[in-house]
Amino acid sequence: MNKSAERIQKIFALLAFTAALGLCGSAATMAYAAAAAPATRILILPFQIHADSARPQLESSFPKMLGERIGAAGVAVVPHEHMLRLVKSRNPDSFDIAAVRSLLSGAGATHAVYGSVHQSSASLSIDARLISAGASLAPKPLFVEQVASAAGMGNALDALAGSVVAELPSARASRVAASAGNGIAGVEVRGTNVLDPDVVHMRISTRKGDHPDAAAIDQEVKRIWDLGYFSDVQVDLQQRPEGIFLVYTVVEKPRVEHIAVEGTKDLDADDIIAVMNTKAGSILNESLLADDIVKILELYRKNGFYLAKIDHRIDGRQGGASAALVIVVDEGKKLYIKRVDIGGANQLKAGEVKDQLLLSERSIISWITGTGVLKEELIERDSAAIASYYLDRGFMDITVAAPKISYEDDGIAILFPIHEGPRYTIGSVKFSGDLIDTDERLRSVVASEALAQKKEYFNLSVLQSDAKALTEYYADYGYAFADVNPQPRKRDDASNVVDLDFIIQKNNKVYVRRVLVEGNSKTRDNVILREMRLTDGEQFEGSKLHRSIERLDKLGYFEMAEAELVPTQNAEEVDLKVKIKERPTGALMAGVGYSTFSSVGVSGTLMERNLWGRGYAVSLQAAFTGLRDAYTFSFTNPRVNDTPLAMGTDLYHWRDDYIDFTKKTTGGVLRFSYPIGEYTSLGWGYRLDQYEIYDVHVNASQLIRDYADGTRYTSAALARIIRDSTNRERPTSGTINAMGVEYGGGLLRGNDDFITVDAEHQTYFELKPEHVLHARIKGSAIFENGSRRVPVFERFWMGGMQSVRGYNSRDIVPRDPNTGDRIGGTRMAFANLEYIWSINNEFGLSLVPFFDIGFNIDANHDYTWSKEILKSTGMELRWRSPMGDLRFSYGIPFDEDRKGNKSSGRFEFSMGQSF
């Protein structure tokens, strides 16, 4: 920089000489040239955007904003839409000079502007070029740099627009005339070998015809030096026959020929090089390299290496033109969280407060749960969780200071310092503002009233829930934009009592003008609209909107479904915009299953749940195990002609090995359903099977041999009523209740006479986020329908993943007291109690401890209840994988099976479908 300063001093010595020089032509000549030139019209092309955020918005808006500013200066600009059509039709590979001049010709413009924008959290810079349609005129580089701020982009656009306008012919003519011919003849850059000279030109604001300005040149030298690519920058004024030239001479730093990494063990060298902006073949830039070292440290920290140290060295090559960059790594020891403490917890137990944190000490199952790793993004979250926990227990003045994190040789220690403050109870609850109901009715809506009656502690979550409940209450009366502002007010005395005032502003009662759908590219509008419980012209009701979104979620077609109320010109009308994001609904799955009873099985499924976007569900399945071969085709139309009626069919061909005999079945089911309420539907159908019994054991029960006489038929009618109030496809709340009956034979003919009735109940209860309690109970009974006995294969066979885990599917089956053959049960019931813990939502992982209990008896024979009721416990791991739902189950029986055997445990695994 000292050499550069000396050069600037020489410029002053030449200023007097340059002032005496004259350029050819006068102001009158320049004015004539400008008048003879065609009218200026500028084409603003898309800019490349390199930004930390808002990149798509800048790509579309930047040319338009620049055009508005240039147009405001009185310069004609090619319309933005015309430019987009032109670029789309020409589709150039890149914006080189030839391509831009071709676009200029197509647009009928005289000049074009294009370039790139670089925006970070610290700075904003624009590198642009102004190109003239004249082939003899060189492009003009333009550079603008601003400190990042709220007004930074606007200021940069103003500066760039001013530079563009200043370089247009009329502006240049005025500038040259004003200088009276005493300007420089040109600007040159020398010494660049790897870099393009334009990189330097874009940092130089002095142009041909300008008077040399020592202060401006000093700033230019500084900008060039700050690029970080040069070890020396010099500037000089040179007298030539053409005039005075401003010459910048730079010396490039070595070129990075190769990047190597030393000292890595746990991380791959390629991963380290990938996060660096310094690349092989580029000029060494210490500023960029410093940023790279910070990025490498962040990479190590994310992987638990908080003690990692990063350094570098430059191995020069002969001649000094190139060098090898070596990143030197000292990884240190990988650290896990060894201790999390709550400092200052006096009135509440520190252990209970710690339970609210996601950051926790490493444990034996951390390889599954991912705990024990310091995720810095969770620090702020856990601080807020502590504050929220205290606020829900009356501590309105709770403060949580910045956590103290210590990186020690044996792990990480985290301390959350807190100050609890006094604990407040609730005094009175009142309502003010626009009240649409009695005080008594409003009090029944809010839970804070019950807390006040019992003089319980203040609870912020309850207060917020009450505000939401009141908002929803008003919304059900059409006040979609009601505003409920809860105001807790501490009493002036020292009683530590807070009074609650719910201030309500109801605003206008609104109606739905129309329902719009957005985001569906496959699913047809009618498939979405038929699930909506709010329609055009109807008064808005919040509960109906909530139910509509629930119904869309349960379809399983969408990753996201939400609604937005869009105000219209009429204050009493809104448009209801349903915004959805579709998910893949088709699947081609191959599954492998295993159980200790049926050994290995394979399956394949081709399915589509939203065929042609009409909501049709179709599937084709094939499965093969040691006990069963099955081919099944299913089709369901959930809304026949958009009516509430659903219709479907199942066609199948099965081979089932019942140990004592084998049954081959070909048949089908025709099914219908119709809603008889918001949550309830009635189903009915008809089943027709053709089957054959063979490979009957020589001493088989007479009940089995009676059906081994060739081809037989089952003709049965089905009816079922279901009430399902669960909240989504993977429920966290709600219930499922079902009752059904199947009537076989009798009036429907066929060879099998029976009547089966069953009932089932399921409950889902969310204990806290990601923790759901699920209870299921099911019971069935089968009766004779005439003189013929109930077939063995229509009876109940229990055990395995679909009923009582820990037993196989032939364990809980009554036997013929004479032959010992399995003949199935006529009365059965089982219950499952599950604790579903979603340990990783991103991968769909859940741990499910369970307890199962059940029985299966033959009412025609004697039985002992103490021996019939079987129990088990165990654990399941469930994974929603890309290949389908996977279940890994290990059940431990509590009781002996019917042969007096007791297993130590049974493992079952299913993928794609359960066997």
Side-chain angles (χ1 to χ4, degrees):
M1 291 293 294
N2 291 335
K3 292 181 179 180
S4 300
E6 293 174 3
R7 294 288 182 178
I8 293 174
Q9 297 302 320
K10 296 178 181 179
I11 295 172
F12 286 104
L14 294 174
L15 291 180
F17 174 70
T18 57
L21 295 176
L23 299 178
C24 297
S26 63
T29 304
M30 294 302 299
Y32 174 80
T40 301
R41 190 166 186 252
I42 192 163
L43 173 68
I44 303 174
L45 295 169
F47 277 59
Q48 290 184 349
I49 307 297
H50 304 280
D52 294 339
S53 61
R55 177 177 174 181
Q57 294 90 333
L58 277 177
E59 285 179 340
S60 61
S61 63
F62 188 91
K64 187 180 295 185
M65 292 189 295
L66 179 59
E68 291 171 353
R69 284 164 168 79
I70 294 175
V75 178
V77 178
V78 175
H80 183 69
E81 293 75 17
H82 185 184
M83 179 275 291
L84 291 177
R85 289 195 298 270
L86 180 64
V87 171
K88 184 177 181 180
S89 64
R90 298 291 178 91
N91 193 24
D93 293 333
S94 62
F95 289 132
D96 55 25
I97 295 176
V100 172
R101 284 191 168 133
S102 174
L103 292 170
L104 277 171
S105 176
T110 59
H111 296 78
V113 177
Y114 70 99
S116 61
V117 179
H118 297 261
Q119 184 180 30
S120 68
S121 59
S123 64
L124 168 68
S125 63
I126 305 175
D127 293 332
R129 283 192 176 189
L130 177 66
I131 289 186
S132 170
S136 62
L137 298 177
K140 292 287 184 181
L142 305 173
F143 177 77
V144 173
E145 186 171 25
Q146 294 281 335
V147 175
S149 65
M153 181 59 71
N155 292 339
L157 282 165
D158 291 338
L160 179 59
S163 297
V164 170
V165 173
E167 290 298 334
L168 296 176
S170 57
R172 287 203 306 272
S174 299
R175 189 167 64 247
V176 172
S179 67
N182 293 327
I184 63 174
V187 180
E188 292 183 358
V189 174
R190 296 177 181 175
T192 56
N193 297 311
V194 177
L195 292 173
D196 191 315
D198 282 346
V199 174
V200 180
H201 273 297
M202 289 181 178
R203 271 70 182 175
I204 301 172
S205 58
T206 304
R207 297 288 179 263
K208 180 180 178 180
D210 289 346
H211 285 291
D213 185 319
I217 294 172
D218 185 39
Q219 289 298 315
E220 292 168 0
V221 171
K222 184 178 183 303
R223 286 199 295 265
I224 297 169
W225 182 267
D226 288 343
L227 286 172
Y229 295 120
F230 309 112
S231 59
D232 189 23
V233 180
Q234 298 186 24
V235 63
D236 201 358
L237 281 172
Q238 295 182 2
Q239 173 64 51
R240 300 177 189 173
E242 302 96 321
I244 300 297
F245 281 76
L246 183 62
V247 180
Y248 285 86
T249 304
V250 298
V251 178
E252 290 180 344
K253 292 179 181 178
R255 182 175 64 87
V256 179
E257 186 177 284
H258 173 68
I259 301 177
V261 182
E262 292 181 356
T264 57
K265 296 177 182 178
D266 285 78
L267 295 189
D268 192 80
D270 290 339
D271 293 333
I272 293 174
I273 294 174
V275 303
M276 298 173 59
N277 285 325
T278 302
K279 304 297 181 185
S282 64
I283 297 295
L284 182 64
N285 186 322
E286 281 85 356
S287 176
L288 202 60
L289 183 57
D291 291 339
D292 289 340
I293 289 176
V294 172
K295 291 181 180 179
I296 297 171
L297 279 171
E298 289 175 353
L299 178 65
Y300 269 97
R301 289 173 69 89
K302 287 180 180 178
N303 285 273
F305 294 91
Y306 295 94
L307 302 179
K309 298 177 181 177
I310 311 297
D311 202 347
H312 76 281
R313 72 171 186 267
I314 307 297
D315 292 345
R317 297 290 191 261
Q318 189 173 5
S322 62
L325 172 61
V326 182
I327 304 298
V328 182
V329 178
D330 178 6
E331 291 184 339
K333 184 180 178 181
K334 189 170 186 177
L335 298 182
Y336 297 95
I337 300 174
K338 67 174 183 177
R339 188 174 65 253
V340 179
D341 294 318
I342 308 295
N346 300 315
Q347 301 181 64
L348 297 182
K349 294 180 179 180
E352 294 176 353
V353 179
K354 279 181 62 176
D355 290 340
Q356 313 309 310
L357 309 182
L358 293 182
L359 292 173
S360 62
E361 295 88 347
R362 186 168 175 79
S363 67
I364 195 171
I365 62 170
S366 290
W367 65 277
I368 297 175
T369 62
T371 57
V373 177
L374 176 57
K375 299 178 181 178
E376 295 181 348
E377 65 271 17
L378 295 182
I379 295 174
E380 185 175 348
R381 180 266 169 205
D382 282 353
S383 295
I386 294 173
S388 178
Y389 185 75
Y390 270 89
L391 285 167
D392 288 347
R393 283 150 184 83
F395 296 89
M396 297 182 66
D397 300 328
I398 178 69
T399 58
V400 182
K404 299 177 181 178
I405 302 174
S406 302
Y407 301 99
E408 303 169 4
D409 290 340
D410 60 341
I412 304 169
I414 305 174
L415 173 65
F416 289 92
I418 66 172
H419 175 70
E420 293 176 328
R423 199 171 188 181
Y424 293 84
T425 57
I426 299 177
S428 63
V429 177
K430 70 174 184 177
F431 308 91
S432 57
D434 302 327
L435 306 183
I436 63 172
D437 215 329
T438 63
D439 189 74
E440 181 182 2
R441 181 68 187 92
L442 294 177
R443 289 181 185 276
S444 69
V445 175
V446 298
S448 293
E449 173 63 21
L451 297 181
Q453 294 293 332
K454 299 176 182 178
K455 299 189 182 302
E456 294 281 356
Y457 292 114
F458 171 80
N459 190 309
L460 179 62
S461 293
V462 171
L463 185 68
Q464 293 171 336
S465 297
D466 287 346
K468 181 179 179 182
L470 286 169
T471 302
E472 292 174 349
Y473 184 78
Y474 271 66
D476 284 342
Y477 286 88
Y479 299 100
F481 301 107
D483 182 24
V484 179
N485 183 19
Q487 291 290 329
R489 295 188 173 92
K490 301 174 187 176
R491 293 184 180 177
D492 294 335
D493 54 27
S495 60
N496 292 336
V497 175
V498 60
D499 297 320
L500 305 182
D501 183 7
F502 291 91
I503 304 172
I504 305 172
Q505 184 178 353
K506 66 181 182 180
N507 295 316
N508 289 325
K509 181 179 289 188
V510 297
Y511 295 80
V512 177
R513 185 178 70 171
R514 57 183 176 179
V515 181
L516 308 172
V517 180
E518 181 182 282
N520 54 320
S521 58
K522 174 184 176 181
T523 308
R524 301 195 177 199
D525 284 0
N526 66 302
V527 173
I528 298 168
L529 292 174
R530 68 195 184 193
E531 301 299 326
M532 299 299 296
R533 292 302 176 256
L534 278 172
T535 58
D536 295 357
E538 190 175 354
Q539 178 179 295
F540 178 83
E541 287 187 37
S543 57
K544 287 186 176 181
L545 178 59
H546 178 73
R547 178 57 181 162
S548 299
I549 299 302
E550 274 189 356
R551 292 177 65 91
L552 290 174
D553 284 338
K554 292 183 71 172
L555 289 177
Y557 307 159
F558 313 118
E559 291 182 11
M560 177 274 293
E562 59 185 23
E564 177 188 354
L565 295 181
V566 181
T568 66
Q569 294 180 346
N570 186 341
E572 295 183 352
E573 289 186 335
V574 294
D575 287 339
L576 177 57
K577 183 185 292 185
V578 181
K579 297 189 286 188
I580 61 136
K581 182 179 180 181
E582 293 177 315
R583 67 166 56 151
T585 53
L588 175 61
M589 298 185 295
V592 177
Y594 171 80
S595 75
T596 51
F597 176 67
S598 59
S599 188
V600 177
V602 297
S603 69
T605 303
L606 177 64
M607 63 174 293
E608 172 57 65
R609 293 183 298 168
N610 187 14
L611 186 64
W612 303 318
R614 295 178 180 269
Y616 301 154
V618 60
S619 68
L620 180 63
Q621 296 178 329
F624 309 94
T625 74
L627 297 178
R628 187 177 217 214
D629 299 336
Y631 302 90
T632 306
F633 171 80
S634 297
F635 174 81
T636 302
N637 180 354
R639 293 292 191 91
V640 178
N641 294 329
D642 279 340
T643 66
L645 177 67
M647 180 179 70
T649 185
D650 304 306
L651 304 175
Y652 43 83
H653 177 76
W654 300 334
R655 180 198 64 83
D656 292 291
D657 186 351
Y658 287 83
I659 308 298
D660 300 312
F661 66 94
T662 302
K663 177 175 181 263
K664 182 169 63 177
T665 307
T666 301
V669 176
L670 183 64
R671 38 191 174 76
F672 301 87
S673 72
Y674 196 90
I676 55 176
E678 181 57 40
Y679 300 98
T680 306
S681 63
L682 177 65
W684 67 95
Y686 175 73
R687 173 167 69 97
L688 179 62
D689 290 349
Q690 179 192 67
Y691 66 90
E692 180 183 357
I693 303 294
Y694 60 97
D695 288 345
V696 178
H697 191 273
V698 64
N699 295 319
S701 168
Q702 186 63 44
L703 188 59
I704 297 173
R705 293 201 303 268
D706 286 346
Y707 287 85
D709 58 354
T711 302
R712 300 172 69 89
Y713 295 89
T714 299
S715 177
L718 310 92
R720 193 169 187 82
I721 186 169
I722 301 175
R723 188 180 191 278
D724 183 353
S725 64
T726 55
N727 60 338
R728 59 190 188 194
E729 187 183 12
R730 304 275 174 171
T732 58
S733 66
T735 61
I736 301 174
N737 295 285
M739 294 181 62
V741 61
E742 185 175 15
Y743 177 92
L747 298 174
L748 299 178
R749 310 302 295 265
N751 303 112
D752 304 329
D753 300 325
F754 61 90
I755 298 175
T756 302
V757 294
D758 67 84
E760 180 177 1
H761 170 79
Q762 294 187 59
T763 295
Y764 294 87
F765 181 78
E766 187 173 37
L767 301 172
K768 59 181 180 178
E770 320 306 340
H771 296 262
V772 176
L773 191 65
H774 173 221
R776 177 192 183 198
I777 183 169
K778 181 177 181 179
S780 300
I782 190 166
F783 305 93
E784 294 179 355
N785 182 20
S787 59
R788 286 182 287 194
R789 290 189 292 178
V790 175
V792 171
F793 42 82
E794 295 293 348
R795 296 181 176 215
F796 308 125
W797 298 64
M798 271 180 53
M801 297 183 75
Q802 305 307 314
S803 54
V804 182
R805 288 156 283 195
Y807 301 88
N808 69 48
S809 59
R810 302 295 188 261
D811 278 347
I812 313 177
V813 181
R815 295 173 178 265
D816 188 315
N818 299 318
T819 66
D821 295 327
R822 298 173 180 84
I823 58 173
T826 60
R827 309 287 188 274
M828 77 88 175
F830 66 86
N832 312 117
L833 182 63
E834 298 180 334
Y835 183 92
I836 304 172
W837 176 22
S838 299
I839 57 177
N840 191 314
N841 280 324
E842 181 180 357
F843 294 102
L845 286 173
S846 298
L847 276 179
V848 186
F850 63 82
F851 173 78
D852 297 339
I853 184 172
F855 69 86
N856 187 13
I857 62 172
D858 183 355
N860 299 315
H861 297 95
D862 295 333
Y863 52 87
T864 303
W865 278 114
S866 61
K867 295 183 179 180
E868 300 298 340
I869 299 177
L870 304 182
K871 303 172 289 296
S872 70
T873 188
M875 178 77 74
E876 269 199 27
L877 175 65
R878 296 175 183 173
W879 177 25
R880 297 185 65 187
S881 77
M883 298 173 288
D885 288 352
L886 276 70
R887 296 175 64 188
F888 304 83
S889 173
Y890 189 81
I892 303 173
F894 286 168
D895 307 289
E896 297 177 350
D897 64 17
R898 291 182 177 273
K899 282 191 172 184
N901 301 321
K902 183 178 179 181
S903 170
S904 60
R906 185 179 301 280
F907 172 76
E908 292 182 281
F909 161 58
S910 68
M911 179 169 67
Q913 69 177 47
S914 299
F915 296 102

